[in-house]
Amino acid sequence: MKDFNYHSAKDSKEASKLASSSSAFLAGGMTTIPSMKLGLATYKDLIDIKNIKKLSGIKVSGKSVTIGAATKHVEVSNSKDVKKAIPSLSSLAEGIGDPQVRNRGTIGGSIANNDPSADYPSACIALNATIHTNERKIEAVKFFKGMFETALKKGELIEAIEFQIPEKSSYQKHPNPASRYAIVGVYVAKHKGDVNVAVTGAKSCVYNDKEMSKALSGNFSSSSIDGMDLDSSEMNTDMHASAEFRASLVVTQAKKAVDAC
Amino acid sequence: MASLVGSRVERKEDKRFLTGKGRYTADINLANQTYAIFVRSPHARASIKKLNIDKALKSSGVVSILTGKEIADDKIGGLIAGWAIRSEDGTEMKCPGNPPLAKDNVNFVGDPVAVVIAESLAEAKEAAEKVEVDYKVLKAVTSTADAMNGDTIHEGIDKNLCFDWLLGDRQKVKEAFDKADKVISIDIINNRLIPNAMEPRACVADYNAASEEITLYTTSQNPHLSRLIMSAFGNVAPEHKLRVVAPDVGGGFGSKINVYNEDIVCSWAAKKINRAIKWVAERSESFLTDIHGRDHVTHAELAVTKDGKFLGFKNETIANLGAYARVFGTVTPTYLFGPCATGVYEIPAAYTNVKAVYTNTAPVDAYRGAGRPEATYTIERLVEKASMELGIDKTELRIKNFPTAFPFKQTLVHTVDSGDYVAGMEKAKQMADYKGFEARRKESEAKGKLRGIGVTSYFEACGIAPSAAVMSLGCGVGLWESAEVRFNPTGQVTVYTGSHSHGQSHQTTFAQIAADELGVPIENIDIVHGDTDKGTFGMGTYGSRSLAVGGIAIVNACKKIVEKGKRVTAKMLEANPEDVEFKDGEFIVSKSNKKKTIGEVAFACYLPGVRDEMKSPLPEGDEPGLKETSFYDPSNFSFPAGTHIAEVEIDPETGHVKLEKYTACDDFGRIINPMVVEGQVHGGLAQGIGQALYENAEYDETGQLMTGSYMDYTMPRADNFPEFNIGYTCTHATTNPLGVKGCGEAGAIAAPPTVMNAVIDALGGQEVTMPATAEKVWKACKNLKKSNAKAA
Ligand SMILES: Cc1cc2nc3c(=O)[nH]c(=O)nc-3n(C[C@H](O)[C@H](O)[C@H](O)COP(=O)(O)OP(=O)(O)OC[C@H]3O[C@@H](n4cnc5c(N)ncnc54)[C@H](O)[C@@H]3O)c2cc1C
């Protein structure tokens, strides 16, 4: 690992002021530190945001759950409020990586990183989340741009993620047996008007499967998507799963999610 | 005094490990030490056109950079294969040179070409990036099955073939097959595994210019053997000027038997720069450069009668050696494999043919079970298939072919001294509720799931091994073991063993044995191992040999102590040595109340004279002191055996295999400490089940390791396993005084076929390769659905 400067920011303003083209925010460090150790990334400055009070904590209102960006996975999975308002979000957090990762990794870091097989992005899409940054509010569907790519500008800091509380929801992950990231993860959420079927792991970026959403909005039953033959041409193929297998898993996990709702 | 052998004595080593007081190689820091980083080949096969260290030398903190040229100039020897195997046509095996630092050619990703030594680790890393190597990249050979058709990797080694070995009689087998009602055949792959010891390899080398002695602290399973190899073949230093210390070692599984490049290079370089050098592998280096295990491609056939009697067995295997042949690399796929491939059965005619090939991958060597898991996988998958094709219950078919009497002269090599395979099978069936399986299968079906049951009956040959036998088979050393038992004048005991513990609990089990033999409280017994300056010679720990060989050496040395004690007691109490009996730590003159404790006798041995109260003249011919040594050479291998039964449930929609039940009923002979044995069985099972369902080392066609980190190489975790159901039948070995057989490898040997037989049973007999990952199983489920639909 190359030498770098460590800064601990006391508020969002200081954090974004310190940011440059060769800096990174340090939240849980679960992605940043290993990539630096392996020489895949080098930064001149690391700006620690864990000490910014405003970025941590969970608030539940009638319609939404708002989670501070620096809130750790373990805090989300243990939160009674989250369990009550959106149980599937709490169980998603419980299924991330391993205890060590959950004790450090943060929700803000996860979505800023936008790993194509990360879990939280699917929650953001399914639960019509709004990403609050120090500059603006961004709708989830406009936030996730592509593989490891988001709408964030240089130095823009996520402060909180606001999830809409659905009528029913469930997240079903088929984990990579080694890393336990999602080979395919499907987050189904039934809102008043319609149903979202957010899929992670299958393609280069999280997406809402329109076909299944439509079918389930008409009839919220797993039978309405059973046997659906998804187009696998844009799906990932790697040593753990072919595109064809992923396409099948998307339907299977979606059915499981509907049944679990 | 109650016997300690057989009881769950708490591990003496746990306090140290659980409180962070273990002392591993990476914990050792010497004054003024430097740090080494190895520059490794990023290519699987290339020739080195130019190597330029000028820039790197100018990097801050660099002390020295050494390359293949210097090591060749200093005539430091390369890494070696420890067993010479002959081909069927009588020719010697062909082994390439394997210099510790490659000079002209590199042959796998990770092959080291230079070492950078600097004042700090960060500086060494930085400088290593500045070493410029100009490679001419050549086409790599990576596939086991196709290696013989690939480009020649090592000059002069045709078809990349190290040897083409035969064990058995082809003609007899042909005759047997001619008589068969049916021939069952199978094509299987034994997947390549990466050992993944929790502690990565490391070494710290130190040189004392005054005594001209090199001290090497290293993560080794066998420090004396390492010293011998480094001295005799590596030319690093004469044995008396080379001290090898293997302190606490965090797991080996065979991967720490070998002397590695880094051991030789750091020892040699420490002398050259006259400073201590420390090297600790990063996990990614462990993945690339630790020896790998298994990697066989096999076609096997079993000739049977229609009522299920086995007549003949053929085994044609290609074994991947990786880039170079290492210490146990050539014996693992031959004498540790072939003889066990006929399993626990009476098969009158059999042969095993192994073609061992070189590829541009990490060297393959002994990994937990070494050869026997591959053998057991072959025969047990074949027998299970036979049961399906013959329509005979899988347990009955096995029982039908078990030997009925012991000693059992096995078809190929071994004479198995003891066992009761039927008893093991019956007990396993009961433990697993074999009878109730069909009901459980129906329950699973009702949930839309597929359920399967798999059985394995195995035996293995461990406790390696009689020196005369192994030397006649090509081994470069004898496989005896030594022990020294030393009494202090005040009665405590130090036992030096040539075995090495890297998780096996020797400090406890060996102390239990010595405590029973000597009648000394276990608290007063210390077990010392892992330092060539402390113990006499030792062959180390692998092949489940520590107890069956090393443990017996301790027993024998203790017996010599008792013999001397009897003579000393007789002299002190004016009796005949023949009239002195030893029991529970006391020497008693029979038919009298006269006795001496072993503590008094020890004291007497150190004060051989008469003064006031102290009357301890030594008998004539006995020297002062109380210390005895044994070099024990076993008369045979030992033969653990057993039956394992697994049950899996498969979700046909996702292909997910859930291991629902696992039963292991093993015969390890006498059990010294049941808790320790359970630990060994659990660990072995975890690795065996890991091979069946999770683990796989995968190279792409250019020779890059695709599974080079835990993001892609699936190490099983605790939640992958059910509660293991463990039981024993204990028929004592007749070939050693403790009646022990060895338990370290059994789980890893029996579990892969047991689990795979269950998976394949659930899939209606469809073949899937290990590891049975979700996608493979999902595809098989789809086929099954199709063929069921057709049938209906
Ligand atoms: C072994 C392992 C297993 C894992 N398994 C899973 C899994 O199963 N599922 C899963 O979803 N994830 C998994 N992860 C990822 C993990 O959960 C973390 O969420 C992720 O690594 C990033 O979060 P972090 O807080 O550690 O971010 P960091 O590593 O600190 O930062 C990552 C990136 O995000 C940026 N960033 C961080 N916070 C903010 C912010 N508030 N605003 C703007 N940018 C920000 C940083 O600049 C940096 O570029 C795993 C990670 C590991 C190491």
Side-chain angles (χ1 to χ4, degrees):
Chain A
M1 198 190 289
K2 299 268 190 288
D3 288 353
F4 58 86
N5 303 310
Y6 171 86
H7 312 269
S8 177
K10 59 179 183 309
D11 54 32
S12 302
K13 216 166 151 194
E14 191 189 355
S16 63
K17 222 171 108 191
L18 284 164
S20 72
S21 57
S22 59
S23 74
F25 295 125
L26 184 66
M30 291 290 96
T31 295
T32 304
I33 304 287
S35 6
M36 290 171 77
K37 271 179 75 178
L38 289 169
L40 300 171
T42 42
Y43 301 108
K44 229 173 82 208
D45 300 282
L46 280 191
I47 306 151
D48 196 337
I49 56 169
K50 286 192 302 294
N51 301 319
I52 305 176
K53 286 224 172 60
K54 196 179 153 198
L55 296 191
S56 281
I58 297 167
K59 273 192 261 62
V60 180
S61 74
K63 282 196 200 130
S64 66
V65 172
T66 305
I67 301 177
T71 309
K72 294 170 189 154
H73 307 329
V74 66
E75 291 163 340
V76 176
S77 75
N78 287 346
S79 158
K80 286 203 184 81
D81 292 339
V82 176
K83 260 188 200 134
K84 211 168 129 206
I86 317 178
S88 56
L89 190 60
S90 142
S91 66
L92 174 148
E94 202 183 343
I96 294 175
D98 49 50
Q100 287 82 349
V101 169
R102 295 195 289 274
N103 286 336
R104 291 203 78 91
T106 68
I107 186 167
S110 174
I111 68 166
N113 195 45
N114 192 19
D115 187 304
S117 38
D119 298 308
Y120 269 129
S122 69
C124 295
I125 297 288
L127 301 172
N128 297 324
T130 307
I131 318 297
H132 297 247
T133 77
N134 58 338
E135 295 178 17
R136 55 188 167 141
K137 291 180 188 176
I138 312 170
E139 281 174 60
V141 284
K142 294 189 181 140
F143 182 84
F144 301 103
K145 292 277 200 197
M147 193 150 126
F148 297 107
E149 208 188 308
T150 66
L152 287 175
K153 290 180 283 186
K154 259 285 140 252
E156 188 172 3
L157 184 72
I158 304 170
E159 293 189 328
I161 298 100
E162 183 183 354
F163 297 99
Q164 193 183 322
I165 299 174
E167 286 177 0
K168 299 176 185 178
S169 64
S170 168
Y171 178 64
Q172 297 290 331
K173 158 155 94 165
H174 182 89
N176 174 321
S179 72
R180 305 244 169 141
Y181 271 92
I183 281 187
V184 161
V186 180
Y187 208 128
V188 171
K190 184 175 184 308
H191 297 277
K192 257 211 188 78
D194 50 6
V195 175
N196 288 333
V197 182
V199 181
T200 187
K203 297 188 180 175
S204 58
C205 184
V206 64
Y207 67 97
N208 195 357
D209 191 293
K210 296 277 153 53
E211 214 181 331
M212 286 197 282
S213 299
K214 199 168 147 215
L216 289 168
S217 298
N219 172 18
F220 194 71
S221 150
S222 57
S223 63
S224 61
I225 52 171
D226 191 25
M228 219 176 231
D229 202 3
L230 300 183
D231 177 10
S232 66
S233 60
E234 279 176 28
M235 292 205 185
N236 303 330
T237 286
D238 56 35
M239 84 178 105
H240 299 288
S242 67
E244 183 202 2
F245 182 43
R246 277 193 165 86
S248 159
L249 280 176
V250 171
V251 178
T252 304
Q253 299 306 101
K255 281 191 328 192
K256 281 193 182 167
V258 173
D259 289 340
C261 273
Chain B
M1 208 166 93
S3 168
L4 289 181
V5 166
S7 61
R8 304 174 78 89
V9 174
E10 275 185 20
R11 299 208 321 155
K12 290 177 120 194
E13 41 275 82
D14 277 345
K15 186 167 181 189
R16 154 166 122 252
F17 293 144
L18 297 177
T19 57
K21 299 289 180 200
R23 189 167 181 258
Y24 296 88
T25 300
D27 294 326
I28 292 166
N29 290 299
L30 302 179
N32 206 22
Q33 78 190 5
T34 60
Y35 297 82
I37 286 285
F38 284 79
V39 178
R40 300 181 184 279
S41 169
H43 307 294
R45 183 166 169 242
S47 54
I48 302 170
K49 289 202 294 193
K50 220 169 96 196
L51 198 156
N52 187 344
I53 59 171
D54 297 349
K55 254 195 223 148
L57 274 174
K58 288 188 201 118
S59 193
S60 94
V62 169
V63 176
S64 176
I65 298 177
L66 299 166
T67 69
K69 184 183 174 308
E70 286 81 31
I71 211 161
D73 289 349
D74 284 1
K75 305 207 162 36
I76 298 299
L79 302 157
I80 54 148
W83 291 64
I85 303 295
R86 259 178 221 278
S87 286
E88 186 180 355
D89 65 10
T91 55
E92 296 287 352
M93 66 176 186
K94 298 187 180 68
C95 290
N98 184 185
L101 292 173
K103 187 159 79 68
D104 304 314
N105 300 294
V106 287
N107 288 304
F108 68 101
V109 174
D111 216 354
V113 298
V115 62
V116 176
I117 302 160
E119 298 291 349
S120 73
L121 185 59
E123 286 166 320
K125 270 192 179 179
E126 177 127 15
E129 281 171 22
K130 296 178 186 159
V131 172
E132 296 166 339
V133 193
D134 191 3
Y135 292 102
K136 178 170 186 254
V137 180
L138 303 167
K139 195 165 180 301
V141 178
T142 59
S143 146
T144 309
D146 294 335
M148 284 182 285
N149 306 319
D151 290 1
T152 301
I153 299 172
H154 302 290
E155 216 183 288
I157 303 185
D158 237 21
K159 292 188 183 165
N160 297 317
L161 191 62
C162 177
F163 55 75
D164 183 347
W165 173 85
L166 180 78
L167 180 69
D169 188 332
R170 286 184 197 269
Q171 183 54 33
K172 261 201 193 152
V173 170
K174 188 182 172 304
E175 286 160 18
F177 272 71
D178 287 344
K179 281 187 289 191
D181 293 327
K182 203 169 169 54
V183 172
I184 318 293
S185 74
I186 199 166
D187 285 286
I188 50 175
I189 292 173
N190 210 284
N191 46 326
R192 180 186 275 243
L193 304 175
I194 300 177
N196 281 299
M198 200 184 286
E199 178 207 24
R201 289 190 294 113
C203 64
V204 180
D206 192 21
Y207 179 65
N208 183 326
S211 64
E212 297 179 356
E213 200 186 34
I214 296 172
T215 301
L216 175 70
Y217 301 87
T218 183
T219 48
S220 173
Q221 301 179 208
N222 31 251
H224 283 96
L225 193 59
S226 292
R227 183 183 68 176
L228 175 65
I229 293 173
M230 286 175 65
S231 185
F233 299 94
N235 196 26
V236 171
E239 269 185 284
H240 72 301
K241 293 294 182 192
L242 181 57
R243 176 182 174 200
V244 178
V245 184
D248 283 330
V249 174
F253 316 113
S255 72
K256 292 172 180 168
I257 295 173
N258 271 275
V259 169
Y260 281 91
N261 310 59
E262 297 85 0
D263 295 316
I264 294 181
V265 171
C266 290
S267 301
W268 159 73
K271 181 174 175 184
K272 251 182 134 56
I273 65 167
N274 197 11
R275 280 179 71 179
I277 303 175
K278 180 169 188 166
W279 172 77
V280 180
E282 296 192 350
R283 184 57 70 178
S284 43
E285 286 180 295
S286 307
F287 272 101
L288 289 172
T289 68
D290 286 4
I291 59 93
H292 292 180
R294 321 282 189 254
D295 205 340
H296 285 193
V297 174
T298 293
H299 172 80
E301 295 180 13
L302 187 66
V304 294
T305 64
K306 49 180 183 303
D307 57 351
K309 261 306 212 190
F310 301 163
L311 301 176
F313 170 78
K314 281 184 197 174
N315 172 6
E316 301 278 357
T317 290
I318 304 173
N320 193 343
L321 293 175
Y324 306 104
R326 292 273 172 90
V327 172
F328 278 82
T330 54
V331 73
T332 296
T334 52
Y335 290 105
L336 297 180
F337 169 64
C340 293
T342 51
V344 274
Y345 309 109
E346 276 176 337
I347 308 180
Y351 78 78
T352 289
N353 170 230
V354 178
K355 296 177 173 68
V357 295
Y358 293 108
T359 58
N360 296 111
T361 61
V364 179
D365 204 299
Y367 168 58
R368 201 171 194 166
R372 290 145 292 156
E374 298 90 318
T376 307
Y377 191 67
T378 306
I379 184 72
E380 287 304 300
R381 290 291 323 285
L382 201 48
V383 168
E384 195 93 347
K385 194 168 180 201
S387 116
M388 286 180 195
E389 292 192 13
L390 292 166
I392 301 176
D393 172 81
K394 53 185 89 189
T395 63
E396 268 153 40
L397 180 65
R398 286 180 166 89
I399 290 174
K400 197 175 207 140
N401 291 283
F402 281 166
T404 43
F406 287 88
F408 158 45
K409 174 93 187 68
Q410 185 244 20
T411 321
L412 290 176
V413 171
H414 294 299
T415 299
V416 180
D417 63 302
S418 61
D420 186 344
Y421 300 158
V422 178
M425 171 67 86
E426 294 303 344
K427 185 163 177 185
K429 281 170 75 171
Q430 215 163 32
M431 286 166 61
D433 184 24
Y434 184 77
K435 270 206 227 113
F437 172 72
E438 279 311 321
R440 292 191 293 278
R441 181 172 346 230
K442 290 215 174 74
E443 274 169 38
S444 296
E445 272 169 10
K447 293 185 292 178
K449 304 277 168 68
L450 303 169
R451 200 179 183 95
I453 192 164
V455 176
T456 283
S457 294
Y458 77 96
F459 95 110
E460 64 128 333
C462 65
I464 58 172
S467 299
V470 295
M471 287 176 66
S472 76
L473 301 178
C475 185
V477 288
L479 290 175
W480 43 263
E481 193 50 274
S482 79
E484 187 181 304
V485 175
R486 211 187 272 180
F487 266 84
N488 291 330
T490 51
Q492 308 86 25
V493 181
T494 308
V495 177
Y496 297 84
T497 170
S499 300
H500 185 277
S501 177
H502 30 279
Q504 291 87 346
S505 321
H506 293 167
Q507 223 185 319
T508 309
T509 47
F510 285 1
Q512 285 175 257
I513 293 170
D516 274 12
E517 291 292 329
L518 300 170
V520 171
I522 193 165
E523 304 77 48
N524 290 353
I525 299 175
D526 262 350
I527 305 293
V528 175
H529 71 271
D531 185 341
T532 55
D533 262 13
K534 288 187 180 162
T536 14
F537 209 89
M539 298 312 297
T541 287
Y542 38 80
S544 301
R545 69 190 302 276
S546 294
L547 180 59
V549 189
I552 307 304
I554 294 172
V555 170
N556 287 354
C558 288
K559 288 200 190 315
K560 290 185 190 172
I561 294 270
V562 169
E563 283 315 305
K564 179 166 179 181
K566 284 181 179 170
R567 295 194 297 274
V568 173
T569 305
K571 179 79 180 176
M572 288 167 82
L573 297 176
E574 292 165 356
N576 275 326
E578 301 83 68
D579 294 336
V580 179
E581 283 161 20
F582 181 70
K583 202 170 165 256
D584 295 343
E586 289 181 330
F587 293 94
I588 304 160
V589 179
S590 59
K591 297 184 200 108
S592 82
N593 58 3
K594 292 198 286 183
K595 60 185 179 188
K596 290 279 173 199
T597 67
I598 196 162
E600 289 171 315
V601 169
F603 195 64
C605 287
Y606 285 94
L607 280 146
V610 179
R611 202 190 81 197
D612 307 332
E613 236 85 296
M614 191 68 215
K615 290 187 182 62
S616 47
L618 280 187
E620 216 161 289
D622 271 314
E623 293 178 345
L626 191 55
K627 183 200 97 168
E628 295 290 352
T629 303
S630 161
F631 280 70
Y632 171 73
D633 201 350
S635 61
N636 196 351
F637 287 73
S638 64
F639 303 99
T643 292
H644 289 202
I645 301 179
E647 254 177 78
V648 299
E649 193 180 73
I650 292 174
D651 179 345
E653 293 213 322
T654 60
H656 177 70
V657 177
K658 180 152 186 272
L659 183 58
E660 288 282 343
K661 276 158 72 91
Y662 197 98
T663 302
C665 181
D666 295 299
D667 183 353
F668 298 137
R670 186 199 297 277
I671 287 173
I672 306 295
N673 184 327
M675 182 182 68
V676 166
V677 171
E678 274 159 31
Q680 290 290 313
V681 173
H682 282 205
L685 289 178
Q687 285 173 316
I689 296 164
Q691 171 165 30
L693 297 179
Y694 307 108
E695 299 184 45
N696 196 34
E698 229 178 298
Y699 284 93
D700 71 6
E701 66 280 7
T702 68
Q704 293 296 329
L705 182 64
M706 306 295 285
T707 50
S709 84
Y710 294 124
M711 297 307 270
D712 292 309
Y713 186 91
T714 310
M715 280 300 280
R717 306 186 196 186
D719 66 0
N720 290 127
F721 304 113
E723 192 78 25
F724 296 132
N725 188 8
I726 289 175
Y728 309 102
T729 57
C730 301
T731 55
H732 291 188
T734 61
T735 49
N736 67 62
L738 284 177
V740 296
K741 294 183 176 175
C743 69
E745 297 166 291
I749 291 169
T754 312
V755 173
M756 289 309 289
N757 283 342
V759 169
I760 289 164
D761 182 50
L763 295 174
Q766 285 180 88
E767 183 65 30
V768 278
T769 54
M770 295 191 287
T773 53
E775 179 158 9
K776 290 185 204 167
V777 174
W778 169 74
K779 279 192 179 137
C781 290
K782 279 212 301 192
N783 290 338
L784 185 66
K785 207 166 152 191
K786 262 189 236 151
S787 61
N788 284 350
K790 236 186 243 162

